[in-house]
Amino acid sequence: MPSRELGGRSQGPLWARGPGPAAGGGGGVIVNITHSAPGAPSKTIRFLNVAFDSSGDSLLAGDHQGNIYVFDLKGNRFNLVQRTMQACTALAFNLRRKTEFLVALADYSVKCFDTESKELVSWMRGHDSSVSSISVSGSGRYAITTSTDTAQLWDLDTFQRKRKLNVRHSVGIQKVFFLPLSNTILSCFRDNSVFAWEFDTLHCKYQLPTAVECSTLLYKSFAVTRDGRIFVAGGKSNHLHLWCLESKQLIKIIQMPTKVRAVRHLEFLPDSFDGGSNQVLGVLSQDNIMRFINIETCKLLFAIGSHEEGISTAAISPNGRYIASVMENGSVNLYSVQALTQEANKPPPPQFKVVEDWPKCKSEANKLTMKVTSGRSERPWKSKGNKIQTRLLKVQANTSLENKENELPGGLNKKRLQALLKGYGEYPAKYRMFVWRSLLQLPENHLAFSSLIDKGTHSAFVNIQNEYPIKSRKLLRVLQRTLSALAHWSAIFVNFCQHWFEYFPNPPVNVLSMMENILAHHDKELLQHFIKYNVTSQVYAWPLLETLFSEVLTREEWLKVFDNIFSNHPSYFLMIVVAYIVCSRAPLLHCNQRQDFEYFFHHRNNLDINVVIKEAYHFMEATPPDIHPQRVLDDFVPLTKGQYPVFNKYPKFIVDYQTQEWERIRQDEIEYLRERQLMHELEAKAQERKAEDEAWYRKQELLQEAEEQRRKMLLEEEKKLAEQRQRLAAVKRELKVKELQFLDASRRRFLKYQQDQRQMELKRLDDEIARKASIREQETAATVQDVEVRQMELESQRQLFEQHLIKDQESSTREMKEERDASRRKADLEDHVVQRLMETDREEKQKAQMVAEENLAKAQQKCIEVDWRLQALHKLRHDDQDREKRYEEIAKLLHDNRVKEAELLKAMREAEEKKWEEVIRKKAQLEEEQKAAAAAHEHRKQFLEDKMNDALDLAEKLQREDGFFERLHDLKAGHTGRGVEFQQVPKSGNVCLNDLSASESSSYMSSVRRQELACQERELMAEVRQLRQKLTAQARIRHPPTHLSSTKWTT
């Protein structure tokens, strides 16, 4: 089964190749149309409704997303014409303007769109519920939209509502629609009532009577034949009610198979030859299968759909060629009616009807009910008590052979038909085709005919429209298809065209000679007239034979003629040609030009065809046997069944030669057309190349002109740019000068700020030193007083005090180291680290010089601490060895500063680098701050002890050279044996002197000695201050202040 996936495409071909007449091998399906979401093939977009246009060659389909597609079945194209963005509930495509269509949407509105412009034409509102159906009048000007509670009549010229039909909600509307070929509107309600309304006045014309059988059958679906005579209704039952709208009576009840429990949709299948009285009805039941039945014979013809692939709704094209069904899976199947009705197209079997006497007491329902079967229709139901008397006409045993030969298929008799034909002159139009089929004894070779049709259009009739310009395209296609089938078979009118092809491609001289002999016998004067003006039988007889009277007769006359031709011997065909010529002798005798004769036999003339037919019968009887065509022509022989006979009674070599010549000519024409097309293409390419060259040259000229203009513009722009650059350079110079001035001013302000800061720092240091000196003096005075008081006590308690002194020293040392010193040092170190980190971050951002000065200040502070420790060592002889080492370190540092300033600066830088490394290490290892601080303290303590030892040793060596440390040596010698407990000075520089041990030499210290110590202390502090100022000046000279970057760091 061919399939077409629309996907995200808005247009394209519908199928790979055009469907043939018998297309649809798989259940008659021409193509299966599916629509999946773009990018998601598994998600199907379901189609909801379909509708054909008035021609039946275009199909309109809408899905649940609001996409409206038009499928051109003749042009093999599909096109997305609208996106309404909401589901459609009904469609109509048979408006007066062929490109417009109506669509009912889920928001209860009805919109009109144009398929070509794809624009909204009108928007109609007024319904309060979903619109279930749209019916358009035959003229296409008016439309009726139906919902459950109302039906509204619209004028499609102005798109205004003309009238509105309201009903009670308890009743409800099933459907309201126009009747074909009439001025009537039919409305069907849920209570099975059916009303007919006059369209002009909207007055009720009539109401169909409610039958007893309708009480259990709730009407749900309806259908009307194209002639508007038969009305069919179905509902929740397997019965169909057929009403005659002319008599307003229920004429038949059709019972569907037991599988059908409810009817969902009804629609008649149109037929071009039934005159609008449709006989085939499509019934869509609850099992999603649509069955097509003949309402006259109640025979099931064919069915579409299945339980696996069910049908939800369907539409049939007005020309009866296609059936479009919306499947349960959301796809659309397009069926070929020709493929589905191959068996159903067979002519009906002969009907033998019996006159029956029906009892009057029999109920109407029993007389009307018929069952649908797959074969012949069943007889009407009747009770066992009633009997039908049937009388059959039996053929007598002594029937003659002639009568047997006159018996025709379908129960007809040729003699009787001939008598009927002579009496009325023609067969009834309603039964003409049936009579012709019986007379010709058509074999009904549908398969053979289909195989000939499937071969396509014969090459000889491809351009038949040029030779026979027929207005009706439908009729032209039928003619082209029939002639192509005859050309593929080669058996053209075997019976009535006997001996026509023996002289092919020339006219049949033998047949024309027979007609000339007949004309000479019956009207010698007319023949002599033809001979006189050199008019042969090829002029007066062959045109009539060649065209089969189609040029000189009307349709009705032609049918009458062939009624008689088919009912008689094949020689009657020649006789009627001669009769036509003889009956036209009066105007022919007045003709004396060959062109007049040719014109006469190729155009219609004022001639009574009945006279011609009678004259032909007269010739059949009055013609002598020696010249009668019946002597040469055979009797009628029907075509064989199953396959058509082989026809070879023509000069095959001529036909083959002609076919070869035609093929050669066709090939030559194709070659010529190809060469001409090639020449046109070369010429077009040459013209195109010439135009391209001219365009290229024009473009080059334009480019040169544009280039010259651009060059001039560039020169002007360069001049302007040079001037702008000069102005910009001047502005830059001014900005540079201003920037230099600003930088110079900033540098001066910064230097002044640094100087002020350093002065403030020095002042602060001086104040700190003075404060510490005053504190030290106070402590010294207090210490001296304490020593004097204690010296008085120590005389009596010397032995006891020594014991306590040893215990106190051990306990105080242990407590100092374990509790007091640990807590104070940790706190001081933590404070110092935090302050150093904050100061370092701030000073790194501001200036580098501040860091050097602060480091120098720290070094000076350490020097001060060592100095104080040295002074304490002079004052307190019993200080431990640590204090003496610090004094020695101070002395060494003073000596080194005096002797080697460069070494001191280097040592300061090394110390500074070590300090910074220690700060960086502490930043990276904040979690180990406690351990690192303890390790650094031990390291500094050991370092100071070593340095103090070195300083004391160096002071002893230099004592003899300059006498600077002479007093220190005497002080050390005088305080030998005194135990002094050293307590580390806090970071603030405060020195506490307490817990002094008793000594024998301390009682001999006098006030004069204290004055000397104070004087020496002041001199030492003055020297330290001078040394600090000198080192600061040298540091400023060697390391000028650096400018800090203005870049900011943001977190």
Side-chain angles (χ1 to χ4, degrees):
M1 174 175 33
S3 178
R4 169 58 63 188
E5 168 59 42
L6 302 183
R9 291 171 294 183
S10 59
Q11 59 182 356
L14 189 55
W15 46 68
R17 60 181 180 87
V29 179
I30 299 177
V31 65
N32 173 255
I33 305 171
T34 59
H35 189 195
S36 60
S42 61
K43 183 178 180 182
T44 302
I45 301 177
R46 299 173 55 84
F47 284 99
L48 299 179
N49 290 282
V50 290
F52 283 95
D53 65 347
S54 56
S55 66
D57 294 330
S58 294
L59 175 66
L60 194 71
D63 57 30
H64 73 273
Q65 290 187 356
N67 301 316
I68 308 297
Y69 288 88
V70 170
F71 302 97
D72 186 1
L73 307 181
K74 183 185 296 183
N76 188 21
R77 300 288 297 175
F78 73 88
N79 189 17
L80 176 62
V81 296
Q82 195 56 236
R83 297 180 186 270
T84 60
M85 307 309 292
Q86 51 183 324
C88 65
T89 59
L91 292 172
F93 199 20
N94 54 344
L95 278 64
R96 183 164 63 177
R97 291 177 287 274
K98 303 302 181 184
T99 59
E100 295 180 358
F101 65 91
L102 296 177
V103 53
L105 302 176
D107 60 353
Y108 311 151
S109 65
V110 180
K111 293 183 179 180
C112 180
F113 294 99
D114 192 286
T115 58
E116 293 183 352
S117 63
K118 300 181 181 181
E119 295 181 353
L120 176 64
V121 178
S122 180
W123 192 345
M124 297 175 284
R125 294 178 176 271
H127 285 278
D128 297 330
S129 59
S130 177
V131 177
S132 58
S133 66
I134 302 176
S135 176
V136 181
S137 62
S139 62
R141 180 180 177 182
Y142 300 97
I144 296 177
T145 56
T146 306
S147 60
T148 57
D149 55 351
T150 182
Q152 302 185 14
L153 177 63
W154 304 88
D155 187 346
L156 298 183
D157 286 344
T158 61
F159 294 100
Q160 298 294 326
R161 185 175 65 188
K162 294 190 64 177
R163 298 295 291 270
K164 181 178 180 181
L165 175 63
N166 293 319
V167 296
R168 293 192 304 271
H169 183 72
S170 58
V171 177
I173 301 176
Q174 289 289 1
K175 190 175 183 181
V176 180
F177 54 94
F178 288 99
L179 284 182
L181 305 179
S182 66
N183 199 22
T184 305
I185 298 175
L186 210 62
S187 61
C188 308
F189 300 96
R190 291 184 178 178
D191 57 356
N192 290 354
S193 59
V194 180
F195 290 86
W197 310 84
E198 186 71 28
F199 172 72
D200 296 332
T201 61
L202 292 179
H203 292 162
C204 182
K205 296 175 64 176
Y206 58 83
Q207 178 185 1
L208 294 181
T210 303
V212 178
E213 294 78 9
C214 298
S215 59
T216 57
L217 177 61
L218 299 178
Y219 289 163
K220 293 292 183 181
S221 55
F222 313 90
V224 180
T225 57
R226 285 198 303 167
D227 57 5
R229 296 180 180 179
I230 302 299
F231 170 70
V232 182
K236 294 183 178 180
S237 174
N238 64 343
H239 289 78
L240 300 178
H241 288 186
L242 272 67
W243 295 82
C244 179
L245 297 181
E246 293 180 349
S247 61
K248 290 86 175 176
Q249 296 294 328
L250 180 66
I251 59 175
K252 186 182 294 186
I253 299 177
I254 299 177
Q255 182 181 6
M256 296 295 293
T258 56
K259 297 179 181 179
V260 178
R261 296 189 302 273
V263 177
R264 293 169 49 189
H265 182 69
L266 294 173
E267 190 165 358
F268 278 98
L269 180 63
D271 191 351
S272 303
F273 302 100
D274 58 7
S277 58
N278 309 129
Q279 302 296 321
V280 180
L281 175 66
V283 182
L284 178 61
S285 57
Q286 89 290 339
D287 57 358
N288 300 327
I289 298 176
M290 192 168 188
R291 298 171 175 86
F292 288 83
I293 63 171
N294 189 305
I295 60 176
E296 291 294 331
T297 63
C298 296
K299 178 180 179 181
L300 179 62
L301 304 179
F302 60 91
I304 59 176
S306 62
H307 296 288
E308 294 78 13
E309 297 181 358
I311 299 175
S312 60
T313 185
I316 302 176
S317 62
N319 55 15
R321 295 181 181 177
Y322 306 104
I323 300 174
S325 64
V326 179
M327 312 304 290
E328 288 293 323
N329 57 10
S331 64
V332 174
N333 277 1
L334 185 65
Y335 296 89
S336 171
V337 176
Q338 181 180 1
L340 295 171
T341 58
Q342 286 183 351
E343 294 297 328
N345 280 338
K346 293 183 178 180
Q351 295 182 0
F352 186 80
K353 296 186 178 181
V354 180
V355 177
E356 301 174 352
D357 294 332
W358 292 89
K360 295 183 180 180
C361 59
K362 193 171 184 62
S363 64
E364 183 181 2
N366 289 337
K367 292 189 292 183
L368 298 178
T369 305
M370 300 180 70
K371 290 185 178 181
V372 175
T373 62
S374 58
R376 61 181 181 83
S377 60
E378 294 186 4
R379 300 190 179 205
W381 296 353
K382 52 186 179 293
S383 60
K384 296 182 180 179
N386 298 325
K387 296 183 179 179
I388 301 176
Q389 297 180 0
T390 305
R391 183 176 182 182
L392 301 177
L393 298 177
K394 297 183 179 180
V395 182
Q396 298 180 2
N398 57 354
T399 303
S400 63
L401 180 62
E402 182 180 0
N403 291 336
K404 291 182 179 179
E405 293 177 354
N406 291 329
E407 291 295 332
L408 299 175
L412 301 180
N413 186 278
K414 189 174 181 179
K415 289 294 183 180
R416 294 179 182 177
L417 289 176
Q418 289 177 349
L420 179 66
L421 183 63
K422 289 182 180 180
Y424 292 96
E426 60 178 339
Y427 292 126
K430 184 176 181 181
Y431 301 103
R432 176 176 281 118
M433 294 298 105
F434 175 70
V435 173
W436 282 13
R437 284 198 298 266
S438 299
L439 290 172
L440 299 176
Q441 302 180 28
L442 297 182
E444 303 294 339
N445 297 331
H446 294 280
L447 295 178
F449 182 75
S450 298
S451 64
L452 295 175
I453 292 297
D454 292 340
K455 292 181 179 180
T457 304
H458 196 271
S459 59
F461 306 107
V462 173
N463 299 320
I464 192 176
Q465 65 275 7
N466 299 330
E467 187 175 357
Y468 300 101
I470 302 176
K471 294 182 179 180
S472 175
R473 295 180 60 87
K474 178 181 178 182
L475 183 60
L476 180 63
R477 288 196 300 269
V478 172
L479 177 62
Q480 188 180 40
R481 186 175 62 179
T482 305
L483 293 178
S484 298
L486 291 173
H488 290 306
W489 172 46
S490 296
I492 305 175
F493 293 97
V494 177
N495 291 285
F496 297 95
C497 301
Q498 297 180 32
H499 308 289
W500 280 27
F501 306 101
E502 295 177 359
Y503 296 91
F504 185 82
N506 299 316
V509 179
N510 51 351
V511 177
L512 297 178
S513 299
M514 287 188 290
M515 289 190 292
E516 188 172 355
N517 294 332
I518 298 172
L519 180 61
H521 178 75
H522 293 286
D523 197 338
K524 191 173 184 180
E525 180 183 0
L526 182 60
L527 179 61
Q528 292 297 329
H529 181 72
F530 288 152
I531 295 173
K532 178 180 179 181
Y533 293 101
N534 197 21
V535 176
T536 64
S537 57
Q538 296 183 14
V539 176
Y540 61 80
W542 178 239
L544 300 177
L545 294 174
E546 185 181 20
T547 61
L548 301 178
F549 293 94
S550 60
E551 291 182 345
V552 298
L553 299 180
T554 62
R555 182 177 184 274
E556 291 75 12
E557 293 174 347
W558 188 89
L559 293 173
K560 287 183 180 180
V561 169
F562 273 86
D563 282 344
N564 292 272
I565 290 175
F566 291 152
S567 300
N568 291 278
H569 191 270
S571 60
Y572 183 80
F573 190 13
L574 306 182
M575 293 297 182
I576 202 167
V577 173
V578 178
Y580 184 86
I581 297 171
V582 172
C583 292
S584 304
R585 66 187 313 272
L588 290 175
L589 291 175
H590 289 84
C591 294
N592 52 16
Q593 298 291 332
R594 183 181 177 89
Q595 293 79 5
D596 296 339
F597 289 103
E598 293 178 353
Y599 181 86
F600 183 87
F601 290 106
H602 284 281
H603 294 80
R604 295 179 181 177
N605 304 290
N606 296 324
L607 188 65
D608 189 359
I609 195 63
N610 295 321
V611 176
V612 175
I613 294 172
K614 291 180 181 179
E615 189 69 18
Y617 279 112
H618 171 70
F619 289 165
M620 286 286 291
E621 296 174 357
T623 302
D626 55 343
I627 63 173
H628 202 292
Q630 193 173 1
R631 180 177 60 87
V632 180
L633 301 179
D634 298 331
D635 292 337
F636 175 79
V637 178
L639 297 176
T640 59
K641 293 186 178 182
Q643 293 293 335
Y644 294 111
V646 178
F647 178 73
N648 52 8
K649 296 179 181 180
Y650 57 88
K652 192 173 185 302
F653 69 95
I654 296 178
V655 175
D656 294 342
Y657 174 77
Q658 187 178 16
T659 304
Q660 294 175 2
E661 287 296 316
W662 286 348
E663 183 65 22
R664 184 183 60 80
I665 294 172
R666 189 175 67 85
Q667 293 296 335
D668 292 343
E669 288 181 353
I670 293 173
E671 184 67 20
Y672 168 72
L673 293 175
R674 188 182 63 80
E675 292 178 356
R676 188 174 65 177
Q677 181 68 20
L678 182 61
M679 183 187 66
H680 288 331
E681 291 178 358
L682 292 176
E683 184 179 358
K685 288 183 179 179
Q687 293 294 336
E688 185 179 356
R689 185 172 299 173
K690 182 179 178 181
E692 290 178 355
D693 294 341
E694 293 178 356
W696 186 81
Y697 283 119
R698 287 196 301 269
K699 187 176 181 181
Q700 293 299 322
E701 292 176 359
L702 294 174
L703 288 175
Q704 291 178 359
E705 294 177 359
E707 184 179 359
E708 189 66 25
Q709 293 178 0
R710 297 296 187 278
R711 188 178 293 108
K712 293 180 181 179
M713 293 173 62
L714 286 175
L715 292 176
E716 295 177 357
E717 292 294 332
E718 287 179 356
K719 292 179 181 179
K720 294 180 181 179
L721 185 60
E723 295 176 357
Q724 292 179 358
R725 286 177 178 174
Q726 292 177 1
R727 291 194 296 269
L728 183 61
V731 173
K732 285 184 177 179
R733 284 194 297 272
E734 293 178 0
L735 291 175
K736 190 66 176 177
V737 171
K738 291 181 180 179
E739 184 178 0
L740 293 174
Q741 292 176 358
F742 178 74
L743 290 175
D744 187 41
S746 300
R747 185 177 60 82
R748 287 196 298 270
R749 284 198 301 272
F750 185 70
L751 291 175
K752 187 173 183 285
Y753 174 75
Q754 284 184 339
Q755 186 177 0
D756 294 341
Q757 290 291 329
R758 288 171 183 173
Q759 290 178 359
M760 292 175 63
E761 185 68 21
L762 291 174
K763 184 178 180 182
R764 186 182 64 79
L765 291 174
D766 292 340
D767 294 340
E768 186 70 18
I769 291 171
R771 185 179 63 81
K772 289 181 179 180
S774 62
I775 292 172
R776 189 173 287 111
E777 289 177 357
Q778 294 175 3
E779 290 179 353
T780 304
T783 303
V784 170
Q785 291 177 5
D786 292 338
V787 168
E788 291 177 354
V789 173
R790 292 182 67 182
Q791 285 178 355
M792 291 168 50
E793 296 177 355
L794 287 174
E795 288 295 336
S796 61
Q797 298 178 356
R798 180 176 180 179
Q799 297 296 327
L800 182 62
F801 182 76
E802 289 179 356
Q803 297 176 0
H804 289 289
L805 181 61
I806 295 170
K807 295 178 181 180
D808 292 339
Q809 288 179 351
E810 293 177 356
S811 61
S812 61
T813 302
R814 186 170 55 254
E815 290 176 359
M816 293 282 291
K817 290 182 180 179
E818 294 177 358
E819 297 177 0
R820 193 180 201 177
D821 292 344
S823 61
R824 287 185 181 181
R825 287 173 185 174
K826 288 180 182 179
D828 293 339
L829 288 174
E830 290 176 359
D831 294 339
H832 177 65
V833 170
V834 173
Q835 291 176 1
R836 284 297 303 276
L837 289 175
M838 294 174 62
E839 291 174 359
T840 302
D841 292 338
R842 184 174 63 254
E843 289 170 359
E844 285 178 355
K845 295 178 183 179
Q846 296 178 356
K847 54 189 176 179
Q849 185 64 28
M850 295 293 292
V851 177
E853 291 182 359
E854 185 172 348
N855 291 334
L856 183 60
K858 290 180 180 180
Q860 292 174 357
Q861 181 67 27
K862 290 180 180 180
C863 293
I864 294 172
E865 291 176 358
V866 174
D867 185 24
W868 282 108
R869 290 188 181 95
L870 289 174
Q871 291 180 8
L873 183 61
H874 288 291
K875 294 179 181 179
L876 303 173
R877 289 186 174 184
H878 296 286
D879 290 341
D880 57 358
Q881 190 176 358
D882 294 337
R883 188 181 296 271
E884 291 179 358
K885 290 181 181 180
R886 290 181 184 276
Y887 278 109
E888 291 175 0
E889 184 180 3
I890 292 297
K892 182 180 179 181
L893 290 174
L894 292 174
H895 180 266
D896 292 337
N897 287 333
R898 292 173 183 173
V899 178
K900 297 178 181 180
E901 295 179 355
E903 293 179 0
L904 180 59
L905 292 175
K906 184 177 179 181
M908 290 178 63
R909 285 195 295 271
E910 291 177 356
E912 181 181 357
E913 291 176 358
K914 291 180 180 180
K915 294 295 183 179
W916 280 113
E917 289 177 358
E918 185 178 356
V919 170
I920 293 172
R921 187 170 62 255
K922 288 180 179 180
K923 286 182 179 179
Q925 301 176 357
L926 290 176
E927 295 179 356
E928 300 179 359
E929 185 178 354
Q930 299 291 336
K931 296 180 180 180
H937 170 69
E938 293 295 332
H939 176 72
R940 285 194 304 270
K941 182 177 179 181
Q942 186 65 32
F943 176 75
L944 291 175
E945 288 178 356
D946 295 339
K947 293 299 181 179
M948 284 296 295
N949 293 329
D950 295 340
L952 290 176
D953 294 339
L954 183 59
E956 289 178 357
K957 291 179 183 180
L958 297 176
Q959 183 178 8
R960 294 185 297 272
E961 295 178 0
D962 51 5
F964 178 76
F965 289 98
E966 183 177 0
R967 291 186 300 272
L968 181 63
H969 180 72
D970 295 338
L971 182 62
K972 180 180 180 182
H975 289 83
T976 301
R978 177 183 295 179
V980 180
E981 182 181 1
F982 173 76
Q983 182 178 4
Q984 186 178 0
V985 181
K987 294 293 179 177
S988 61
N990 297 328
V991 179
C992 296
L993 301 176
N994 50 18
D995 296 336
L996 297 176
S997 62
S999 178
E1000 294 179 357
S1001 59
S1002 60
S1003 59
Y1004 300 102
M1005 182 178 293
S1006 61
S1007 61
V1008 177
R1009 191 62 178 169
R1010 285 197 299 271
Q1011 293 178 358
E1012 292 177 356
L1013 289 173
C1015 183
Q1016 292 175 2
E1017 183 179 359
R1018 285 193 296 271
E1019 291 176 358
L1020 183 60
M1021 292 299 296
E1023 292 176 359
V1024 171
R1025 189 178 295 109
Q1026 292 176 0
L1027 178 60
R1028 185 178 60 191
Q1029 293 176 356
K1030 184 177 180 180
L1031 292 175
T1032 303
Q1034 291 177 356
R1036 289 178 181 176
I1037 294 172
R1038 294 183 180 182
H1039 302 283
T1042 58
H1043 297 283
L1044 299 176
S1045 176
S1046 61
T1047 306
K1048 290 185 177 180
W1049 295 85
T1050 59
T1051 57

